[in-house]
Amino acid sequence: MDGLLIDSERLMWGVNMTKATLEQGFDPDEVFRRSLLGSNWDKVEVEYSKHYGPTMDVKKLFARCFELNEEMFKDGIPLMKGARDLLDFLHK
């Protein structure tokens, strides 16, 4: 899910993290979220806790984001342009 086959950053971590953040009553900070792209979960958890403060339940935020991702998986996630061709080529 590094952006080769699906646009996970925009669809899953952008849209769903924004929704989960709003559900906790916080204003999403897109610049902050994007600054953590490529970071491991431990770092992201620490940085979210620092950025939003102790009133944000970061573990709950991530759990909700994963729930939203699972819902998205059920509906299907569009492949990146050329991904189907690549998969067909590799299959052959």
Side-chain angles (χ1 to χ4, degrees), residues 30-68:
E30 182 66 15
V31 173
F32 166 72
R33 187 190 66 76
R34 288 176 154 265
S35 75
L36 295 171
L37 294 179
S39 299
N40 66 42
W41 280 111
D42 291 333
K43 178 180 179 176
V44 172
E45 184 175 353
V46 167
E47 294 302 319
Y48 262 79
S49 293
K50 281 191 228 176
H51 186 76
Y52 287 102
T55 57
M56 174 179 267
D57 185 337
V58 176
K59 292 193 184 302
K60 181 180 175 182
L61 176 82
F62 291 162
R64 179 61 177 142
C65 190
F66 280 105
E67 287 174 6
L68 292 167

Side-chain angles (χ1 to χ4, degrees), residues 6-24:
I6 64 172
D7 187 357
S8 58
E9 291 298 340
R10 184 179 59 81
L11 291 174
M12 297 165 59
W13 303 118
V15 172
N16 291 338
M17 189 64 86
T18 295
K19 185 173 184 178
T21 301
L22 287 167
E23 287 176 358
Q24 281 205 34

